[in-house]
Amino acid sequence: MKITNDIVYVGVNDRKIDLFEGQYDVPNGMAYNSYVILDKKIAVMDTVDASFTHEWLDNVVAALGGRKPDYLVVQHMEPDHSANILNFLNAFPSAVVVSSAKAFTMMQNFFGKDFADRRIVVGEGSTLELGKHVLTFVTAPMVHWPEVIMTYDSADKVLFSADGFGKFGATDADEDWACEARRYYFGIVGKYGAQVQAVLKKAANLDIEKICPLHGPVLTEDLPYYLNLYNIWSSYGVETDGVCICYTSVYGHTKAAVELLADKLKAKGCPKIAVNDLARCDMAEAVEDAFRYGKIVLATTTYNADIFPFMKEFILHLTERNFQNKTIGFIENGSWAPMAIKTMQNMLAASKNLTYCENAVHIKSAVNDQNKQEIEALAEELCKEYLARQDSTADKNDLKALFNIGYGLYVVTSSDGKKDNGLIVNTVSQVTSTPNRVAVTINKQNYSHHVIKQSGVMNVNCLSVDAPFSVFENFGFRSGRTVDKFENTEIFRSDNGLVFLPMYINSFMSLKVESYVDLGTHGMFICSVTEARVISKAETMTYAYYQNNVKPKPQTEGKKGYVCKICGYVYEGENLPDDFVCPLCKHGASDFEPIK
Ligand code: FEO
């Protein structure tokens, strides 16, 4: 089979194999690919599995058309590709082996010789000229062994990708590429996402029209589709929106909970639900699903003071493949001492960026009414986004949405003619660029509002992430009417005569008020920019950064009541009055939340 005018496929299909790599079911067989590049010189790309020596050599001889090969390029030393190196070299005594240094060490280990007298060692960027075809080698360590090289032929724009972009199944299997390529990827290369990402970055600089892997079909069309899937898989991203449930069940009670959960997920609009019974399914399919979806539910029983063996094995498959970036829900069943959730969480403890659902299901033997409520709550939590998307189930008055508007934090400085003043605001935004117009909104109760309304000028100081909490205490929790916020501060002034902060800002701009909009409680100043300076490259302080990194954690332990989200002030009491104003930062009741 011709791949291009000069590249011929000489691989073989293995329809007799039962388990690939001794563990993976391959119901549609396996392909061991090999290619011949015909030019002034001839290169053969890899050999095949030991069971196909003669079939493969016959293919090679047919492709050579009476000529002799000059090179055997060995991209990968795993025996499914390297088993026939010796047979090839015996059949073609003038051929030279081209491979990485690590591969030659492995040849010594496999064959007792490293072909020192007939070899070319190549590394990153090495080239091999065949004539018009010039092969450039790209190292691909751990995709999927450390010695792997890939090969780019710039003449035909072909990437020989070793195990990358391979799949289970013979080349003539009539099946979806992604399904068996995904199972292959996560089974074989899943642990090495970072290394695959590194190779994808190198591939991005190559003009590729065809990908020739060592397993599965040659990829010739819609290459962005395959590259995108490899990018998602190797970055442990979400490929398919939905929930994957993996479970074990001894007498059917855990299974009943899983089935009820699946029904509820479906009813709540979950777009796809994959359910795997780990004792009966192909474990590699379940592993593939766990990496494919962003939300996973693990359901199992306590067993021998541990968890059921198939679940234990499953979680080990996940963790040894760098399982990460998932939301996980749990269902446990234990007739007298349920501890499965704790055990599963311990097994997952080293996995990065896992979020556990707040709702879990704790079954004691059989599903009861309490468990049904727990399942309902878990389904609700897992389907939050699906419910919110649908017209019929969405809460269309959920004003918490407003909390998700991103804000920066700024000190607005002004002067009443006698004293410099400043306050913290998060309501600064550039509203037009031709001309530049900046809107600043300030609570009318703040002295600064009064001062700016009269003076018509202000400076907006953009706080940077190095600003300590004391800056917020100074400018946010006190009134400039009663204190001098610049006392003991070195004073710098902009051209408009107003102060700007000497520290903790990355820039400031001087604004002149052009118009004013009365918003009831607040006033919005629409301003032109009269001066603008960048002070540092530090990142701007956002409200979220302040909440997570600057604001001290409120002392709520053992207390009942409400906590101010702005400054952490704790109000102890059953009910927070609607007109309550925080004595520290002066924010109202809407900025308080109940202590949990
Ligand atoms: Fe297809 Fe890693 O061998």
Side-chain angles (χ1 to χ4, degrees):
M1 177 178 61
K2 275 194 157 196
I3 307 300
T4 69
N5 271 341
D6 302 328
I7 300 177
V8 183
Y9 180 83
V10 293
V12 297
N13 279 326
D14 184 350
R15 285 284 189 175
K16 290 195 176 141
I17 186 172
D18 60 342
L19 294 176
F20 181 67
E21 278 197 353
Q23 60 171 319
Y24 297 105
D25 275 334
V26 279
N28 287 327
M30 200 67 203
Y32 313 115
N33 296 342
S34 171
Y35 308 88
V36 174
I37 307 173
L38 296 155
D39 203 332
K40 283 183 189 151
K41 297 208 167 178
I42 296 175
V44 176
M45 305 298 293
D46 295 290
T47 81
V48 299
D49 186 82
S51 311
F52 295 89
T53 305
H54 295 295
E55 187 181 337
W56 173 65
L57 283 174
D58 286 351
N59 290 348
V60 172
V61 168
L64 291 172
R67 295 176 63 191
K68 299 280 180 228
D70 297 277
Y71 304 110
L72 172 66
V73 177
V74 175
Q75 300 186 107
H76 184 16
M77 275 302 295
E78 195 159 9
D80 50 336
H81 312 294
S82 68
N84 282 297
I85 291 176
L86 269 182
N87 292 326
F88 178 89
L89 294 177
N90 289 336
F92 303 106
S94 59
V96 170
V97 188
V98 179
S99 196
S100 66
K102 279 198 175 80
F104 284 110
T105 305
M106 290 181 181
M107 287 179 216
Q108 179 74 42
N109 297 338
F110 273 113
F111 310 123
K113 46 181 91 176
D114 63 3
F115 309 107
D117 57 336
R118 52 188 301 196
R119 75 179 188 191
I120 297 174
V121 181
V122 294
E124 182 70 38
S126 301
T127 55
L128 182 71
E129 280 194 34
L130 304 178
K132 73 172 181 167
H133 294 266
V134 178
L135 305 184
T136 303
F137 298 100
V138 178
T139 57
M142 303 319 296
V143 187
H144 115 256
W145 279 12
E147 85 296 359
V148 170
I149 50 172
M150 295 183 182
T151 308
Y152 179 64
D153 170 18
S154 54
D156 285 351
K157 299 181 179 173
V158 170
L159 177 69
F160 296 91
S161 58
D163 273 345
F165 299 95
K167 70 180 267 295
F168 295 130
T171 50
D172 55 1
D174 183 16
E175 62 189 3
D176 177 54
W177 182 87
C179 183
E180 283 299 72
R182 187 190 303 107
R183 189 167 70 94
Y184 170 88
Y185 175 87
F186 283 111
I188 306 232
V189 199
K191 179 181 176 68
Y192 299 108
Q195 289 83 348
V196 174
Q197 282 278 307
V199 172
L200 289 175
K201 281 205 180 83
K202 294 189 215 176
N205 297 322
L206 302 173
D207 183 6
I208 301 169
E209 287 183 356
K210 292 184 170 64
I211 296 177
C212 292
L214 287 176
H215 301 288
V218 172
L219 307 177
T220 56
E221 284 172 9
D222 201 10
L223 295 191
Y225 166 76
Y226 302 104
L227 289 162
N228 180 48
L229 282 178
Y230 253 62
N231 189 31
I232 293 170
W233 297 344
S234 56
S235 59
Y236 305 94
V238 178
E239 180 189 345
T240 303
D241 197 9
V243 177
C244 165
I245 309 174
C246 295
Y247 75 96
T248 65
S249 189
V250 187
Y251 291 106
H253 295 296
T254 312
K255 182 179 180 182
V258 164
E259 287 173 344
L260 181 58
L261 176 66
D263 287 347
K264 291 202 175 287
L265 292 173
K266 194 171 175 199
K268 290 177 192 299
C270 181
K272 215 160 185 310
I273 303 153
V275 180
N276 291 297
D277 175 351
L278 297 174
R280 292 173 179 82
C281 72
D282 172 11
M283 188 66 85
E285 289 272 3
V287 169
E288 168 195 350
D289 275 347
F291 282 94
R292 176 180 185 175
Y293 293 89
K295 299 172 191 171
I296 321 296
V297 175
L298 301 174
T300 197
T301 51
T302 301
Y303 192 85
N304 283 339
D306 202 322
I307 53 172
F308 203 69
F310 292 106
M311 178 59 80
K312 194 169 177 177
E313 182 191 342
F314 177 63
I315 294 176
L316 280 175
H317 279 302
L318 300 185
T319 53
E320 69 186 12
R321 286 169 173 77
N322 273 329
F323 190 61
Q324 56 187 278
N325 303 341
K326 305 289 176 188
T327 296
I328 314 253
F330 294 102
I331 298 174
E332 68 177 358
N333 194 347
S335 293
W336 62 93
M339 55 184 292
I341 291 179
K342 195 168 165 223
T343 307
M344 288 189 279
Q345 289 184 347
N346 285 342
M347 289 185 74
L348 292 165
S351 296
K352 283 191 293 184
N353 196 22
L354 299 186
T355 305
Y356 296 146
C357 291
E358 287 178 11
N359 296 284
V361 182
H362 311 275
I363 305 166
K364 280 196 171 168
S365 302
V367 175
N368 61 20
D369 287 346
Q370 169 69 26
N371 298 143
K372 286 178 185 164
Q373 285 176 18
E374 291 169 344
I375 290 167
E376 170 70 24
L378 178 58
E380 186 86 7
E381 186 176 351
L382 288 165
C383 291
K384 206 169 185 341
E385 70 209 77
Y386 313 133
L387 292 165
R389 279 184 210 158
Q390 296 170 97
D391 212 37
S392 58
T393 52
D395 174 358
K396 296 181 181 175
N397 290 301
D398 189 349
L399 295 177
K400 289 197 293 300
L402 300 181
F403 297 157
N404 291 327
I405 297 173
Y407 295 103
L409 289 174
Y410 312 89
V411 173
V412 173
T413 49
S414 57
S415 172
D416 60 6
K418 296 182 195 131
K419 193 170 59 180
D420 295 307
N421 191 22
L423 89 163
I424 303 266
V425 302
N426 62 357
T427 43
V428 173
S429 59
Q430 182 177 353
V431 287
T432 61
S433 57
T434 342
N436 280 315
R437 288 285 184 267
V438 175
V440 181
T441 305
I442 298 178
N443 191 318
K444 286 180 181 174
Q445 290 188 358
N446 284 310
Y447 183 54
S448 294
H449 176 273
H450 169 69
V451 167
I452 294 167
K453 195 127 194 282
Q454 289 195 328
S455 67
V457 289
M458 70 181 101
N459 282 349
V460 168
N461 296 262
C462 302
L463 288 170
S464 46
V465 288
D466 53 341
F469 187 62
S470 58
V471 171
F472 297 88
E473 286 178 305
N474 183 34
F475 291 106
F477 304 168
R478 310 185 303 164
S479 171
R481 193 184 282 280
T482 52
V483 296
D484 179 1
K485 297 185 182 181
F486 285 90
E487 196 179 26
N488 305 322
T489 305
E490 189 180 2
I491 297 296
F492 291 92
R493 295 193 184 277
S494 51
D495 290 348
N496 61 4
L498 297 178
V499 290
F500 62 89
L501 266 59
M503 295 173 74
Y504 310 130
I505 63 171
N506 58 19
S507 50
F508 78 84
M509 57 220 76
S510 299
L511 304 182
K512 177 171 173 292
V513 177
E514 301 290 346
S515 58
Y516 175 81
V517 182
D518 191 328
L519 298 173
T521 56
H522 291 64
M524 178 188 280
F525 300 94
I526 313 285
C527 310
S528 57
V529 181
T530 58
E531 183 178 349
R533 292 191 215 176
V534 173
I535 307 292
S536 82
K537 287 184 175 173
E539 283 196 36
T540 296
M541 173 81 73
T542 62
Y543 184 69
Y545 188 92
Y546 166 78
Q547 288 287 342
N548 295 329
N549 301 287
V550 180
K551 189 180 84 173
K553 298 285 169 248
Q555 306 295 311
T556 56
E557 205 166 314
K559 294 179 183 169
K560 282 190 179 161
Y562 297 80
V563 61
C564 176
K565 288 185 287 183
I566 308 300
C567 68
Y569 174 81
V570 173
Y571 173 89
E572 291 190 73
E574 280 292 308
N575 297 308
L576 182 73
D578 288 345
D579 59 353
F580 186 77
V581 174
C582 177
L584 274 185
C585 68
K586 306 290 185 275
H587 280 74
S590 62
D591 284 316
F592 279 70
E593 62 185 2
I595 296 172
K596 286 175 188 158

